[in-house]
Amino acid sequence: MDKTSINMKEILGRQKQYFLGDHTYDIHGRKKHLRKLKQLLQENESRIAEAMCMDFGKSYFEVISNELGLVYSGISTILKRLSRWSGPERPPTSLLNLPGKSCVYPIPYGNVLVISPWNYPVQLALTPVASAIAAGNTVILKPSEITVHTSGLLAELINTAFPRELLYVRQGGIPETTELLELHFDKIFFTGSTKVGRIVMKAAAEHLTPVTLELGGKNPVIVLPDCDLSRTAQRLVWGKFHNGGQACVAPDHIYVHESIRDKLVEEVKQHIKKMFNGDARNGESLPRIVNASNYDRLQKLIDPAKCVVGGQGDRETLFIEPTVMTGVDITDPVMQEEIFGPVMPILSFRDLDTLLGKLKERPSPLALYIFTGEMRLAKEIQSTFRSGTGMVNDTVVHFVNGTTPFGGIGESGMGSYHGKAGFECFSHRKTVLRKPTWFELRVKYPPYTKMKLKIVKLFLR
């Protein structure tokens, strides 16, 4: 189909009429659509895995474990708890409004635009889509044009299985995204870079459209001398090179106390060798870089003189070895931007307070990772450090903890989703105060007297 021939204004108009016709309010209907989405994915697992392998060499194991599996579990959680989430809350009512009763109803925003990235082209597209449908919205999904095979398959499957009045996938690149951002949606959910996030937010401001931005940043890791060195290295290697380092929650760079730096580097080397069997190029455990432009960008960040592991690549196959750099300084190119690839810079520090002070002066990251045996210290740091999320003694896997909110802060994003937070992300909390007519508090009416003022002060203490 010629993508340019699709009239998105007309499709959005049909979605608006569908929503205004109250077709999305029925909870049983929402659950039916979610079951259908899950079944559609399950029936096409092999096709989806093949598409992602064609896009950037992702293995079938990773397609199931960190793409489809997370969507399945997210939908299952929604189906179990949606009836409870969608019910009214009954908070207490202030004395001035008694004998009234307060209710808070979660109501859908209406028509939602979801713009998803290429690095997890199914999971980061359909997790917010499922939450938006669960909350009673219609959705237009704009997947990344970079993962062309996966995005094309999603469009084929979803646009065939679902009425476009409820859910529609719009393929295309920058022109198509620009076209969508010019339309008036009731909510926009964007996952991607901070640079593009600013463009999305600026476009949304034209219509006063609320946005959720899931962005990225340079996620630091702090490794303290009392950590379990072998376990720390193992989890750092997995977190850094998982998905080829192409993850917003990947540990970006490592700060290790100078007293254990050399030991940590040796442990990292050993775990890289174990995980990739000494030959990452010919295995299935390391996806390729998604395209040539990202490959070239990453190569410019690698300083061969500072590489103690890897550093080599093959532009024809878009392969970059798991790479570890030491002797890195804050002024090096690899420290000037989010890496988003299989390159691990290791820096050392002497004083923790000095390091934390410097980190707090930089843009807030999406995640802060700390490795230490001192839980009290770790809790103190995590409770005061400004980051979107955090972990102690592990990396990345907090993203799959579907019962807790996930999101950034500052330049790493705004808003959160996953589980109930995902339902709330696409819902407006509408307060309704019901009052009877058999009683009236006369102090609110003129003429105002000193006695009425005393009564009001008494109620408002």
Side-chain angles (χ1 to χ4, degrees):
M1 178 182 292
D2 180 7
K3 301 180 183 67
T4 60
S5 68
I6 301 171
N7 189 331
M8 291 309 302
K9 187 174 182 180
E10 178 184 340
I11 291 176
L12 179 58
R14 290 170 63 174
Q15 289 200 350
K16 288 181 180 293
Q17 291 303 312
Y18 188 77
F19 177 77
L20 293 174
D22 294 339
H23 296 293
T24 65
Y25 274 81
D26 179 60
I27 301 299
H28 297 293
R30 300 181 197 178
K31 291 181 178 180
K32 180 181 177 181
H33 293 310
L34 292 172
R35 291 190 188 98
K36 184 177 182 179
L37 178 59
K38 184 176 181 179
Q39 182 180 356
L40 181 68
L41 298 175
Q42 290 173 330
E43 292 174 348
N44 290 276
E45 280 185 357
S46 60
R47 293 185 66 194
I48 293 169
E50 181 182 358
M52 274 194 265
C53 183
M54 293 171 67
D55 280 327
F56 60 117
K58 200 160 195 175
S59 69
Y60 186 83
F61 180 91
E62 290 197 341
V63 170
I64 298 300
S65 64
N66 58 54
E67 294 270 5
L68 290 172
L70 297 186
V71 179
Y72 296 158
S73 63
I75 291 176
S76 295
T77 298
I78 292 171
L79 292 173
K80 291 177 184 176
R81 302 175 182 175
L82 181 57
S83 297
R84 184 165 69 251
W85 294 346
S86 58
E89 298 177 24
R90 303 187 186 279
T93 301
S94 65
L95 289 174
L96 278 174
N97 279 309
L98 292 178
K101 293 183 179 180
S102 301
C103 278
V104 178
Y105 298 92
I107 63 172
Y109 278 108
N111 310 111
V112 170
L113 171 63
V114 174
I115 304 175
S116 61
W118 54 262
N119 57 322
Y120 292 92
V122 171
Q123 191 263 122
L124 292 182
L126 296 186
T127 297
V129 165
S131 294
I133 291 175
N137 301 276
T138 69
V139 184
I140 290 176
L141 168 63
K142 169 58 184 69
S144 173
E145 71 279 10
I146 294 176
T147 44
V148 58
H149 299 95
T150 307
S151 296
L153 182 58
L154 284 180
E156 174 195 331
L157 296 176
I158 290 175
N159 292 348
T160 301
F162 288 88
R164 59 180 57 188
E165 291 85 0
L166 173 71
L167 173 60
Y168 185 77
V169 178
R170 171 56 158 156
Q171 295 187 77
I174 294 176
E176 288 75 21
T177 304
T178 302
E179 174 195 17
L180 288 169
L181 290 173
E182 291 174 351
L183 301 178
H184 187 181
F185 288 90
D186 299 304
K187 171 82 179 189
I188 297 176
F189 186 102
F190 169 80
T191 305
S193 69
T194 302
K195 178 182 177 181
V196 180
R198 290 190 174 95
I199 296 172
V200 171
M201 192 170 183
K202 184 177 180 180
E206 291 296 319
H207 300 291
L208 296 179
T209 300
V211 297
T212 294
L213 302 177
E214 296 295 339
L215 309 176
K218 291 187 72 63
N219 305 318
V221 181
I222 300 174
V223 181
L224 298 179
D226 63 347
C227 73
D228 181 324
L229 264 176
S230 180
R231 187 71 71 204
T232 296
Q234 180 186 38
R235 293 176 176 178
L236 286 176
V237 169
W238 180 86
K240 180 61 181 180
F241 301 115
H242 171 77
N243 205 47
Q246 300 167 117
C248 60
V249 290
D252 185 90
H253 52 286
I254 319 298
Y255 288 99
V256 56
H257 193 270
E258 60 182 13
S259 64
I260 59 168
R261 187 197 66 174
D262 293 343
K263 292 180 180 179
L264 178 69
V265 171
E266 288 305 312
E267 289 286 350
V268 165
K269 289 180 181 179
Q270 292 302 314
H271 281 288
I272 289 175
K273 189 174 183 180
K274 288 179 183 178
M275 287 189 200
F276 300 104
N277 294 319
D279 186 10
R281 183 187 299 269
N282 296 314
E284 294 185 349
S285 300
L286 189 71
R288 283 3 185 195
I289 307 305
V290 73
N291 57 21
S293 62
N294 274 281
Y295 177 91
D296 294 339
R297 178 187 63 82
L298 286 166
Q299 285 294 342
K300 292 177 182 177
L301 302 183
I302 297 173
D303 183 350
K306 296 185 177 182
C307 291
V308 294
V309 176
Q312 300 299 311
D314 181 351
R315 195 175 190 275
E316 183 177 346
T317 60
L318 299 178
F319 171 78
I320 294 179
E321 293 179 307
T323 298
V324 178
M325 296 169 57
T326 59
V328 175
D329 186 82
I330 193 65
T331 61
D332 286 354
V334 75
M335 293 299 294
Q336 304 309 306
E337 62 181 74
E338 184 179 7
I339 298 170
F340 223 71
V343 181
M344 178 191 288
I346 297 181
L347 303 86
S348 60
F349 73 94
R350 179 174 300 174
D351 180 73
L352 178 60
D353 290 337
T354 301
L355 173 63
L356 289 171
K358 292 179 179 178
L359 291 177
K360 289 178 179 179
E361 293 174 355
R362 299 172 193 166
S364 300
L366 184 57
L368 171 69
Y369 300 117
I370 301 171
F371 286 84
T372 179
E374 181 51 65
M375 289 298 107
R376 182 177 297 180
L377 174 62
K379 289 178 182 178
E380 180 182 342
I381 294 172
Q382 290 288 16
S383 66
T384 58
F385 190 89
R386 194 167 176 265
S387 64
T389 60
M391 285 198 75
V392 178
N393 292 332
D394 208 345
T395 65
V396 176
V397 292
H398 65 301
F399 181 84
V400 306
N401 189 29
T403 60
T404 53
F406 176 85
I409 184 173
E411 291 195 16
S412 61
M414 62 176 64
S416 58
Y417 72 126
H418 285 184
K420 186 179 181 181
F423 175 82
E424 293 174 341
C425 172
F426 294 100
S427 302
H428 168 69
R429 290 165 55 83
K430 177 181 178 179
T431 296
V432 176
L433 178 62
R434 303 195 306 268
K435 298 189 69 174
T437 57
W438 55 263
F439 175 81
E440 186 62 275
L441 192 63
R442 298 184 180 277
V443 296
K444 70 180 182 182
Y445 296 109
Y448 301 126
T449 65
K450 291 183 178 180
M451 179 56 68
K452 287 183 178 180
L453 180 60
K454 288 182 179 179
I455 295 173
V456 168
K457 285 184 175 181
L458 181 65
F459 278 124
L460 295 178
R461 285 188 301 179

